[in-house]
Amino acid sequence: MLIFIDWYLPGYKAGGPIQSVANIVSHLKNDFDFSIITSNTDLHETVPYPNVKSDEWIITGDGTSVYYFSAANQQYKKLKQVILSHQFDVIYLNSFFSKFFTVFPLLIAKRNKLKCKIIVAPRGMLGSGALQLKSTKKKIFISAAKLLGLYNNVTWHASTATEEEEIKKVFGSQAKVIVAINLSKSHIIKPVHRIKENGKLKMAFLSRISPKKNLIAVHRYLAAMPADVNIQFDYYGPVDDKEHFEQCVKLFETLPPNIKATYGGSLEPAQITYRLSEYHFTILPTFNENFGHSIVESWVAGCPVIISNQTPWRKLQDKKCGWDLPLHDDVAFINTIKKSCAMQQQEFDEWSAASYNYGEEVIKNPEAIEQNKRLFGNNNQS
């Protein structure tokens, strides 16, 4: 199987897609032979990964074949040479809009009539919330892709039934879609107990800093907090949109003294669970997530989540592992943060344990493994 992804390990700044593909390889490497074509830098970086050879196939520590393209060699002709030098049963594309890692491979496969199954994972890019951002450019691209038949006869990978609906809304009910939930990391840490006092809260945001993740909304919620609560809010993640990041930093500086907001930089994957174990709750009022690895990471760390209803995770309050709130209902988010502040030790311990158990359930879900095997396992041309 040949996988295309804009950024891959040892990169981590592109967030969920890297983790999704890394988890597929980790869980299914005994069932499939994986080859990966990616770039030789992390998101928004120009310096290549150290100790990684570029522009040639190498074998990584887990036995996966990876081709790290340098920026200078990201050309249609060179990509065609690499693709046609091997025969693959499956081509798996992990983006919708990527020129070099999705559009070019599709064109090469079609023009050379490659006899392989082509799977496209849009990674939430076709959700209504995601399409609202830079909507004009996206509408033009989608119209052109339909006109050219670029995505004709592909198999779509939807992480949830909701994403299946999103894909069919754009490409029609006849689109071939297979639902296979994203795989999570295969290890967890032991539960970590933390002190929770009434009126005090440690809350974290963990995601790429971009308009889609809606960090700016958190400022509105925190600015509405009463003076008798004390909140430490730390936000983590690579800066995907510098202007948006700077706007958020300036806004958080205007919060009253009882609300402390600090940017903690980017966390490498191995740090995430341990760092989140220091907090009571995490928050992510995102415009769209097709899965949300950071949400699962939060549960595994014993942190209930405060998220929007634009993710596949629903009815969380019933499970005592968080809240999924209407995206544009600021009052609901504000009141939920107030409830979180008011939680005392016994209630928080109950919610923390429920979150940890639910995270473990998600990670160890055997049906997720079987769904992904079925997604990749039929090698007949689609």
Side-chain angles (χ1 to χ4, degrees), residues 20 27-28 36 49 52 54 74 77 81-82 84 123 173 175-176 179 238 244 269 293 299 311 313 326 334 346 365 374:
S20 294
H27 284 281
L28 303 182
I36 298 172
Y49 300 120
V52 170
S54 302
Q74 288 184 23
K77 182 178 179 180
Q81 291 173 347
V82 174
L84 298 184
R123 299 294 175 201
S173 59
K176 182 179 180 182
V179 177
H244 176 74
H293 287 282
W299 288 325
T311 86
W313 309 106
I334 290 166
Q346 184 176 349
N365 179 12
R374 288 194 292 270

Coordinates of all heavy atoms in Angstrom, one line a residue, residues 20 27-28 36 49 52 54 74 77 81-82 84 123 173 175-176 179 238 244 269 293 299 311 313 326 334 346 365 374:
S20 N -3.0 9.9 12.8 CA -3.9 8.9 12.1 C -3.2 7.9 11.3 O -3.4 6.7 11.4 CB -5.0 9.6 11.3 OG -5.8 10.4 12.0
H27 N -0.8 -0.3 14.1 CA -1.8 -1.3 14.4 C -1.8 -2.4 13.3 O -2.1 -3.6 13.5 CB -3.2 -0.7 14.5 CG -3.5 -0.1 15.8 ND1 -3.8 -0.8 17.0 CD2 -3.5 1.3 16.1 CE1 -4.0 0.1 18.0 NE2 -3.8 1.3 17.5
L28 N -1.5 -2.0 12.0 CA -1.8 -2.9 10.9 C -0.5 -3.3 10.1 O -0.6 -3.9 9.0 CB -2.8 -2.2 9.9 CG -4.1 -1.8 10.4 CD1 -5.0 -1.2 9.3 CD2 -4.9 -3.0 11.1
I36 N 5.3 5.0 2.3 CA 4.8 6.3 2.5 C 5.6 7.4 1.8 O 6.8 7.4 1.8 CB 4.8 6.7 4.0 CG1 3.9 5.7 4.8 CG2 4.4 8.1 4.3 CD1 4.0 5.8 6.3
Y49 N 14.3 17.3 8.3 CA 14.5 16.5 9.5 C 16.0 16.1 9.6 O 16.6 15.7 8.6 CB 13.7 15.2 9.5 CG 12.2 15.5 9.4 CD1 11.4 15.0 8.4 CD2 11.5 16.2 10.4 CE1 10.1 15.2 8.3 CE2 10.1 16.4 10.3 CZ 9.4 15.9 9.3 OH 8.1 16.1 9.2
V52 N 17.7 12.2 8.4 CA 16.7 11.6 7.5 C 17.2 11.9 6.1 O 17.3 13.0 5.7 CB 15.3 12.1 7.7 CG1 14.3 11.6 6.6 CG2 14.7 11.7 9.1
S54 N 16.8 12.4 2.2 CA 15.7 12.9 1.4 C 15.9 12.3 0.0 O 16.9 12.0 -0.5 CB 15.8 14.4 1.3 OG 15.6 15.0 2.6
Q74 N 9.8 18.5 -5.3 CA 8.3 18.3 -5.3 C 7.7 18.8 -6.7 O 7.1 19.8 -6.8 CB 7.6 18.9 -4.1 CG 7.9 18.2 -2.8 CD 7.2 18.8 -1.6 OE1 6.2 19.5 -1.8 NE2 7.7 18.6 -0.4
K77 N 6.9 15.5 -12.5 CA 7.7 14.5 -13.2 C 8.4 13.6 -12.2 O 8.4 12.4 -12.4 CB 8.7 15.3 -14.1 CG 9.5 14.3 -14.9 CD 10.5 15.1 -15.8 CE 11.4 14.2 -16.7 NZ 12.3 14.9 -17.5
Q81 N 7.9 9.5 -11.5 CA 8.9 8.5 -11.6 C 8.9 7.6 -10.3 O 9.1 6.4 -10.4 CB 10.3 9.2 -11.7 CG 10.5 9.9 -13.0 CD 11.8 10.7 -13.0 OE1 12.4 10.9 -12.0 NE2 12.2 11.1 -14.2
V82 N 8.7 8.2 -9.2 CA 8.7 7.4 -7.9 C 7.5 6.5 -7.9 O 7.6 5.3 -7.5 CB 8.7 8.4 -6.7 CG1 8.5 7.6 -5.4 CG2 10.0 9.2 -6.7
L84 N 5.7 5.2 -10.4 CA 5.7 4.2 -11.4 C 6.8 3.2 -11.3 O 6.9 2.2 -12.0 CB 5.7 4.8 -12.8 CG 4.5 5.7 -13.2 CD1 4.6 6.2 -14.6 CD2 3.2 5.0 -13.0
R123 N -10.1 13.8 5.8 CA -9.7 14.3 7.1 C -10.5 15.5 7.6 O -9.9 16.5 8.1 CB -8.2 14.6 7.1 CG -7.3 13.4 6.8 CD -7.3 12.4 7.8 NE -6.6 11.2 7.5 CZ -6.8 10.0 8.0 NH1 -7.7 9.8 8.9 NH2 -6.0 8.9 7.7
S173 N -24.9 11.2 -3.6 CA -25.2 10.0 -2.9 C -24.6 8.7 -3.5 O -24.5 7.7 -2.9 CB -26.8 9.8 -2.8 OG -27.3 9.8 -4.1
A175 N -21.5 8.5 -4.4 CA -20.1 8.3 -4.0 C -19.9 7.1 -3.1 O -20.7 6.8 -2.2 CB -19.7 9.6 -3.2
K176 N -18.8 6.4 -3.4 CA -18.5 5.1 -2.6 C -17.7 5.5 -1.4 O -16.6 6.0 -1.4 CB -17.7 4.2 -3.5 CG -17.4 2.9 -2.8 CD -16.6 1.9 -3.6 CE -16.3 0.6 -2.9 NZ -15.4 -0.3 -3.7
V179 N -16.9 3.6 6.0 CA -16.7 4.2 7.3 C -15.7 3.3 8.1 O -16.0 2.1 8.3 CB -18.0 4.4 8.0 CG1 -17.8 4.9 9.5 CG2 -19.0 5.3 7.3
P238 N 1.2 23.8 17.6 CA 2.0 24.5 16.6 C 1.1 25.7 16.0 O -0.1 25.6 15.9 CB 2.3 23.5 15.5 CG 1.2 22.5 15.7 CD 0.9 22.4 17.2
H244 N -3.6 34.8 13.3 CA -4.6 34.4 14.2 C -4.0 34.2 15.6 O -4.6 34.6 16.6 CB -5.2 33.1 13.7 CG -6.2 32.5 14.6 ND1 -7.5 33.0 14.8 CD2 -6.1 31.4 15.5 CE1 -8.1 32.3 15.7 NE2 -7.4 31.3 16.1
P269 N 4.4 14.3 20.6 CA 3.4 13.3 20.9 C 3.7 12.5 22.2 O 2.7 12.3 23.0 CB 3.4 12.3 19.7 CG 3.8 13.2 18.6 CD 4.8 14.2 19.1
H293 N -7.9 13.6 17.7 CA -7.0 12.8 18.5 C -6.7 13.5 19.9 O -6.5 12.8 20.9 CB -5.6 12.6 17.8 CG -5.7 11.6 16.6 ND1 -5.7 10.3 16.8 CD2 -5.9 11.8 15.3 CE1 -5.8 9.7 15.7 NE2 -5.9 10.6 14.7
W299 N -9.0 12.3 27.3 CA -9.6 11.3 28.1 C -8.6 10.3 28.7 O -8.7 9.9 29.9 CB -10.6 10.5 27.3 CG -11.9 11.3 26.9 CD1 -12.5 12.2 27.7 CD2 -12.6 11.2 25.7 NE1 -13.6 12.7 27.1 CE2 -13.7 12.1 25.9 CE3 -12.5 10.5 24.6 CZ2 -14.6 12.3 24.9 CZ3 -13.4 10.7 23.5 CH2 -14.5 11.6 23.7
T311 N -17.9 17.5 16.3 CA -17.0 16.3 16.3 C -17.9 15.1 16.3 O -19.1 15.2 16.6 CB -16.1 16.4 17.5 OG1 -16.8 15.7 18.6 CG2 -15.7 17.8 17.9
W313 N -18.0 13.0 18.7 CA -18.2 12.6 20.0 C -19.4 13.3 20.6 O -19.4 14.5 20.8 CB -16.9 12.9 20.9 CG -15.7 12.3 20.2 CD1 -14.7 13.0 19.6 CD2 -15.3 10.9 20.2 NE1 -13.7 12.2 19.1 CE2 -14.1 10.9 19.5 CE3 -15.8 9.8 20.6 CZ2 -13.4 9.7 19.2 CZ3 -15.2 8.6 20.3 CH2 -14.0 8.5 19.7
P326 N -23.4 23.2 21.6 CA -23.6 23.9 20.3 C -22.5 24.9 20.0 O -22.2 25.8 20.8 CB -25.0 24.6 20.5 CG -25.6 23.8 21.6 CD -24.5 23.3 22.5
I334 N -19.9 29.1 28.5 CA -19.6 29.9 29.7 C -20.1 29.2 31.0 O -19.4 29.0 32.0 CB -20.1 31.3 29.6 CG1 -19.4 32.1 28.5 CG2 -20.1 32.0 30.9 CD1 -20.0 33.4 28.1
Q346 N -14.6 15.1 45.0 CA -15.3 13.8 44.8 C -16.0 13.7 43.4 O -15.8 12.7 42.7 CB -16.4 13.5 45.9 CG -17.1 12.2 45.8 CD -18.0 11.9 46.9 OE1 -18.1 12.7 47.9 NE2 -18.8 10.9 46.8
N365 N -10.8 -0.4 21.2 CA -12.0 -0.9 20.4 C -11.6 -1.8 19.2 O -11.0 -1.4 18.3 CB -12.7 0.4 19.8 CG -13.9 0.0 19.0 OD1 -14.4 -1.1 19.0 ND2 -14.4 1.0 18.3
R374 N -10.9 -3.8 6.7 CA -11.9 -3.9 5.6 C -11.6 -2.8 4.6 O -11.8 -3.0 3.4 CB -13.3 -3.9 6.1 CG -13.7 -5.2 6.8 CD -15.2 -5.3 7.0 NE -15.7 -4.3 8.0 CZ -15.8 -4.4 9.3 NH1 -15.5 -5.6 9.8 NH2 -16.3 -3.5 10.0

